[in-house]
Amino acid sequence: MSTHHHLQSGRRRLSSHHFLDAADDYVAGYAILGSANIARKLWKAMFMSGNSRVVCVASRDTARAQAFIDECQALLPFPQAPEAVEGYEAALARDDVQCVYIPLPTALRKEWVLKAAASGKHVLVEKPVGLNTEDVQEMIQACIKHNVHLMDGVMFMHSARLQLLQKTLPSLGPLRRINSEFCFKANEAFFQSNIRCSSATEPLGCLGDLGWYNIRLTLWAMNWYLPVRARGCLLKENADGVPYEFSGELLFESGCSATFFCSFLTHETQLAVLNGEEASVQYSDFVLPLPGRYLYFDVNHQSYPQEGLDQVVHSYSERHHVQEAGYGHPSSQEACMVRHLSDLSREGGGETTKWPEQMLKTQMVLDAVLLSARAPGRGVGGDGGRE
Amino acid sequence: MSTHHHLQSGRRRLSSHHFLDAADDYVAGYAILGSANIARKLWKAMFMSGNSRVVCVASRDTARAQAFIDECQALLPFPQAPEAVEGYEAALARDDVQCVYIPLPTALRKEWVLKAAASGKHVLVEKPVGLNTEDVQEMIQACIKHNVHLMDGVMFMHSARLQLLQKTLPSLGPLRRINSEFCFKANEAFFQSNIRCSSATEPLGCLGDLGWYNIRLTLWAMNWYLPVRARGCLLKENADGVPYEFSGELLFESGCSATFFCSFLTHETQLAVLNGEEASVQYSDFVLPLPGRYLYFDVNHQSYPQEGLDQVVHSYSERHHVQEAGYGHPSSQEACMVRHLSDLSREGGGETTKWPEQMLKTQMVLDAVLLSARAPGRGVGGDGGRE
């Protein structure tokens, strides 16, 4: 199959490049806990990463794990078929597993992150990482104690686009406003059955599932400074208090402010706007990149000079590209994410504080906007945002 | 001069079309009070409207009015040169003036709107219309009493693009989020000398100068329903309390919410996003249209289906155009605005409540977000936005 051949080629090319200086052919073995839908994308990412493989898929029900494996192997087979194992503990006990991918419901994550760490496994955990900041701190402490890496599944952090944007940010001048939206309109089946709507499994609702990305992008743009004030508005929640639509505003000491909007009720959008004093950046796929072999963002300039009797509008945009596939390719952000963790999972694979710090701050801001929303009339921190 | 010839032709074409059913050749005579920079654009708009002319420019200093007239006549001469008159009263006393354009500082507007109305003149007033809702109500009452029209200078209300957007809105499904930004980065001279930075003349600062448009677009999209809750944040103000940067959030009974951002400190941007349940609209020139002969907005669709192992991103945009020049042309929104008021200024020229209602609601929301910002910790109205 030509597509498969192409993917395999891409994999070899990237992995040989990636391991140019490597003395061995280290391939990290992953256990996938559960068979959440997102795990299909991660299966492919592990395949494409060039330095990772799925060793096993664990489920309370072995048949379910086997069905998941069969489905994925039929589409993109690992040379050595992953094994279906009964129970998550069994996966953690295996010597051929170096990393554990945990897409379990948020309410279960802490337990299994702690157990994975205690088993000496590196952890890739879905977002939101925890139910609250305390849980995340506990997870981080456990991973530090057991000397394992902990990374949350925010794929865009691993995109070359973000690196290019980082280099471009200074040309915007000081940032003054960050504006992001991440929404999808869920169907009735989602609201009836999906774990994302149950307060028992996903009490953070759209804020955890979507707002996590808004907050993360904002903190990234602010170079990880925490806001001095955070305000949230629960625009819609279900009877159990699970957020369905949420807006937040963050104020930073630099004078920059940020607004974000996330929703299960609004048509799909993933707009990111960074307004600086000298220019703006805008792109419409900040979480899930558009298809194709290039990702981009636009740097926008406008001016409104008076010319004769006219107030003229001048406008120009520079589109900045990186050569990176939107998804499902060795170059795509989810493959880079897995490749990155697999690299770290080697002995002496790098410092262990970068990703924990980012996820902790994300969770702290998430907690703050939610607290603000549930105590209407007061933001968290600061003096009301006035100068 | 070929450009001039073209403009004249356009003027004749449009005006003959416009007055197809008119029995006379009514041309509304305008007095311009003061010589604010924006009056240059309005001079041209009056010229282009096809049913208007500048009769006189009034200033406390006749020489200044004459210099303004000379400058404008050199660029775009009315066949009968407008007269420079000393003092605004003198302009209001003239029988050849049917309409008065008032771009005076906000703090002076009420006085001159009341006097213009008492003189039986129709009024085109710059925004923000008043210092507060009470002032605007007083102005409206005066205009009703004297049976004259009152219109505020929100040009985009008169654009064919807004009419097309109105027809397109139902295809978005119920609106859930309105997100707009209107900013320009002022230079030092602006902050030192411009009346827009003095609490004596423009105490509403960027909120009056820019936020007026954000609020107006939002209310338009919400079909003039007022928000049930309004919250504002004074992100930056000067020592006199004049807003330099401001954000607001509005919650509507339908469940839709709106955020806006306006600033004298941030690079030029005028982004409008309307997020519905079924699609989104986006355009980047909602106040001052981009140059060219077509205005447009984009209707954006995204979806994120699972296909095999991939979470695919589907995206498509429809660009909707209207044939309308960005500015300085008989078809452009500012010419349409003037043409509209001149039409209304004819005897029996139409109902008098549409524009007053719109400006009053705009001012009410402006007052509400400012009150909220100055009393941190409480929004105005509602119960905190929770369901």
Side-chain angles (χ1 to χ4, degrees):
Chain A
M1 191 173 82
S2 68
T3 303
H4 186 211
H5 175 75
H6 169 74
L7 294 174
Q8 287 282 8
S9 308
R11 181 188 173 206
R12 273 200 301 274
R13 180 175 52 75
L14 267 184
S15 60
S16 62
H17 169 76
H18 192 70
F19 290 112
L20 216 55
D21 303 326
D24 56 34
D25 286 325
Y26 175 77
V27 171
Y30 280 76
I32 297 176
L33 303 196
S35 53
N37 192 42
I38 183 71
R40 289 172 174 79
K41 184 172 182 175
L42 266 290
W43 174 293
K44 188 163 181 176
M46 290 167 193
F47 187 96
M48 294 292 167
S49 71
N51 65 349
S52 317
R53 68 185 181 102
V54 179
V55 166
C56 63
V57 176
S59 177
R60 283 161 299 178
D61 173 4
T62 318
R64 197 170 164 199
Q66 190 60 54
F68 177 85
I69 291 168
D70 292 346
E71 179 197 330
C72 295
Q73 278 290 95
L75 291 164
L76 200 61
F78 284 95
Q80 184 179 346
E83 292 177 34
V85 302
E86 185 178 337
Y88 308 142
E89 299 272 15
L92 299 183
R94 294 176 66 116
D95 286 339
D96 54 357
V97 167
Q98 286 80 44
C99 303
V100 180
Y101 171 54
I102 305 183
L104 300 171
T106 304
L108 300 179
R109 272 180 208 140
K110 185 174 82 171
E111 174 187 355
W112 291 102
V113 168
L114 297 184
K115 286 181 176 168
S119 304
K121 310 302 186 193
H122 304 284
V123 178
L124 179 61
V125 61
E126 270 305 326
K127 29 91 303 211
V129 173
L131 296 174
N132 54 54
T133 299
E134 290 65 36
D135 279 2
V136 174
Q137 284 173 321
E138 198 177 336
M139 293 185 232
I140 291 171
Q141 287 310 314
C143 289
I144 290 173
K145 178 181 170 189
H146 295 288
N147 199 29
V148 295
H149 288 277
L150 176 62
M151 181 186 282
D152 60 336
V154 180
M155 297 166 181
F156 70 65
M157 293 304 306
H158 305 268
S159 170
R161 176 164 61 179
L162 212 68
Q163 295 171 34
L164 182 61
L165 188 49
Q166 180 95 60
K167 287 181 196 145
T168 308
L169 276 186
S171 71
L172 305 186
L175 286 179
R176 296 229 45 100
R177 185 71 167 181
I178 300 164
N179 183 344
S180 67
E181 300 178 339
F182 188 28
C183 308
F184 69 88
K185 183 164 187 287
N187 56 25
E188 268 312 303
F190 175 94
F191 291 119
Q192 295 306 322
S193 70
N194 197 292
I195 58 159
R196 280 182 280 196
C197 294
S198 158
S199 61
T201 50
E202 296 293 352
L204 301 175
C206 71
L207 185 58
D209 194 37
L210 307 173
W212 187 269
Y213 295 100
N214 299 97
I215 294 168
R216 184 60 148 270
L217 182 75
T218 302
L219 291 174
W220 171 84
M222 295 309 296
N223 200 24
W224 310 110
Y225 280 95
L226 284 168
V228 291
R229 187 172 149 86
R231 191 196 53 78
C233 190
L234 242 171
L235 296 163
K236 179 79 176 173
E237 58 188 325
N238 72 7
D240 295 332
V242 176
Y244 280 2
E245 189 160 273
F246 196 95
S247 68
E249 184 161 29
L250 310 175
L251 308 184
F252 293 87
E253 196 167 14
S254 71
C256 184
S257 65
T259 183
F260 70 86
F261 177 71
C262 54
S263 173
F264 290 152
L265 307 172
T266 300
H267 182 76
E268 280 73 357
T269 177
Q270 38 172 338
L271 174 68
V273 184
L274 309 177
N275 297 110
E277 290 186 13
E278 309 301 335
S280 296
V281 155
Q282 190 173 317
Y283 54 122
S284 296
D285 58 347
F286 88 93
V287 180
L288 301 168
L290 295 172
R293 286 295 180 262
Y294 295 88
L295 307 193
Y296 57 82
F297 56 82
D298 291 326
V299 178
N300 296 324
H301 304 258
Q302 290 194 353
S303 60
Y304 316 133
Q306 185 80 23
E307 294 184 0
L309 300 177
D310 289 316
Q311 185 175 23
V312 173
V313 176
H314 289 162
S315 171
Y316 73 96
S317 293
E318 303 155 357
R319 183 155 287 187
H320 295 249
H321 292 85
V322 293
Q323 194 168 355
E324 174 178 309
Y327 45 82
H329 186 268
S331 69
S332 58
Q333 59 186 22
E334 71 276 15
C336 293
M337 176 178 75
V338 170
R339 188 179 301 125
H340 194 166
L341 182 63
S342 295
D343 261 4
L344 290 174
S345 74
R346 307 177 72 178
E347 290 296 327
E351 43 83 17
T352 55
T353 56
K354 176 181 171 183
W355 303 107
E357 180 192 339
Q358 294 186 9
M359 73 180 70
L360 181 64
K361 287 181 171 175
T362 307
Q363 188 89 43
M364 287 169 72
V365 172
L366 191 156
D367 284 8
V369 292
L370 191 56
L371 182 64
S372 156
R374 293 206 157 122
R378 64 180 191 90
V380 173
D383 62 354
R386 299 187 66 194
E387 303 239 327
Chain B
M1 192 173 82
S2 67
T3 303
H4 186 210
H5 174 75
H6 170 74
L7 294 174
Q8 287 282 8
S9 308
R11 182 189 174 204
R12 272 200 301 275
R13 180 175 52 74
L14 267 183
S15 61
S16 61
H17 169 75
H18 192 71
F19 290 112
L20 216 55
D21 303 326
D24 56 35
D25 286 325
Y26 175 77
V27 172
Y30 280 77
I32 297 176
L33 303 196
S35 53
N37 192 43
I38 183 71
R40 289 172 174 79
K41 184 172 182 176
L42 266 290
W43 173 293
K44 188 162 180 177
M46 290 167 194
F47 187 96
M48 294 292 168
S49 71
N51 64 349
S52 318
R53 67 185 181 101
V54 179
V55 166
C56 63
V57 175
S59 176
R60 284 162 298 179
D61 174 3
T62 318
R64 197 170 164 199
Q66 190 60 54
F68 177 86
I69 291 168
D70 292 346
E71 179 197 331
C72 294
Q73 278 290 94
L75 291 164
L76 200 61
F78 284 94
Q80 185 179 346
E83 292 177 34
V85 303
E86 186 178 335
Y88 308 141
E89 299 272 14
L92 300 183
R94 294 176 67 116
D95 286 340
D96 54 357
V97 167
Q98 287 81 43
C99 303
V100 179
Y101 172 54
I102 305 182
L104 300 171
T106 304
L108 300 179
R109 271 180 209 140
K110 185 173 82 170
E111 174 187 354
W112 291 102
V113 168
L114 297 184
K115 286 181 176 168
S119 304
K121 310 302 185 191
H122 305 284
V123 178
L124 179 61
V125 61
E126 270 305 326
K127 28 89 310 210
V129 173
L131 295 175
N132 54 55
T133 299
E134 290 65 36
D135 279 2
V136 174
Q137 284 172 321
E138 199 177 335
M139 292 185 232
I140 291 171
Q141 287 310 315
C143 289
I144 290 173
K145 177 181 170 191
H146 295 289
N147 199 28
V148 295
H149 288 278
L150 176 62
M151 181 186 282
D152 61 337
V154 180
M155 298 166 181
F156 70 65
M157 293 304 307
H158 305 268
S159 170
R161 176 164 61 180
L162 213 67
Q163 295 171 34
L164 182 61
L165 188 49
Q166 180 94 61
K167 287 180 196 146
T168 307
L169 276 186
S171 71
L172 305 186
L175 286 178
R176 296 227 47 98
R177 185 71 167 180
I178 300 165
N179 183 344
S180 67
E181 301 178 339
F182 188 28
C183 308
F184 69 88
K185 183 164 187 287
N187 56 26
E188 268 312 304
F190 175 94
F191 291 120
Q192 295 305 322
S193 69
N194 198 293
I195 58 159
R196 281 182 279 196
C197 295
S198 158
S199 61
T201 50
E202 296 292 352
L204 301 175
C206 71
L207 185 59
D209 194 37
L210 307 173
W212 187 269
Y213 295 100
N214 299 98
I215 294 169
R216 184 61 148 270
L217 182 75
T218 301
L219 291 174
W220 171 84
M222 295 309 296
N223 201 22
W224 309 110
Y225 280 95
L226 284 168
V228 291
R229 188 172 147 86
R231 191 196 53 78
C233 190
L234 242 171
L235 296 162
K236 179 78 176 175
E237 58 189 325
N238 72 7
D240 295 332
V242 176
Y244 280 2
E245 190 161 273
F246 196 95
S247 68
E249 185 161 29
L250 309 175
L251 308 184
F252 293 87
E253 196 166 15
S254 70
C256 184
S257 64
T259 183
F260 69 87
F261 177 72
C262 54
S263 173
F264 290 153
L265 307 172
T266 300
H267 182 76
E268 280 73 358
T269 177
Q270 37 171 339
L271 175 68
V273 184
L274 309 177
N275 296 110
E277 290 186 12
E278 309 301 335
S280 297
V281 155
Q282 190 173 318
Y283 54 121
S284 296
D285 58 347
F286 88 93
V287 180
L288 301 168
L290 295 172
R293 286 295 179 262
Y294 296 88
L295 307 193
Y296 57 82
F297 56 83
D298 291 326
V299 178
N300 296 323
H301 304 259
Q302 290 194 353
S303 60
Y304 316 133
Q306 185 81 23
E307 293 184 3
L309 300 177
D310 290 315
Q311 185 175 22
V312 173
V313 176
H314 290 162
S315 170
Y316 74 96
S317 293
E318 303 155 357
R319 184 155 286 188
H320 295 249
H321 293 85
V322 293
Q323 193 168 355
E324 175 178 310
Y327 46 81
H329 186 268
S331 69
S332 58
Q333 60 186 22
E334 71 276 15
C336 293
M337 176 178 75
V338 170
R339 188 180 302 125
H340 194 166
L341 181 64
S342 296
D343 261 3
L344 291 173
S345 74
R346 306 176 73 179
E347 290 296 326
E351 43 83 17
T352 56
T353 56
K354 176 180 171 183
W355 303 107
E357 181 193 339
Q358 294 187 9
M359 73 181 70
L360 181 64
K361 288 181 171 176
T362 307
Q363 187 89 42
M364 287 169 71
V365 172
L366 191 156
D367 284 8
V369 292
L370 191 56
L371 182 64
S372 155
R374 293 206 157 122
R378 64 180 191 90
V380 172
D383 63 353
R386 298 186 68 193
E387 303 238 327

